[in-house]
Amino acid sequence: MMEEAGFIDVQIGPAVDTFAGAGGEPNARVFEVYGYAFMARKPV
């Protein structure tokens, strides 16, 4: 999707547990929900 928007050199970081300690943590565990950092650049 990012590449379709014109970005290049797209990198995806490791999975991060963003729900630890949150009220929705049990549901996040059941559905294996994680956050990911993205980095990319748009050509000049």
Side-chain angles (χ1 to χ4, degrees), residues 5-26:
F7 289 94
I8 60 173
D9 299 332
V10 177
Q11 298 179 16
I12 303 171
V16 177
D17 181 4
T18 57
F19 285 93
E25 183 177 2

Side-chain angles (χ1 to χ4, degrees), residues 20-37:
E25 183 177 2
N27 290 331
R29 296 282 176 260
V30 170
F31 293 102
E32 298 181 2
V33 177
Y34 297 99
Y36 295 86

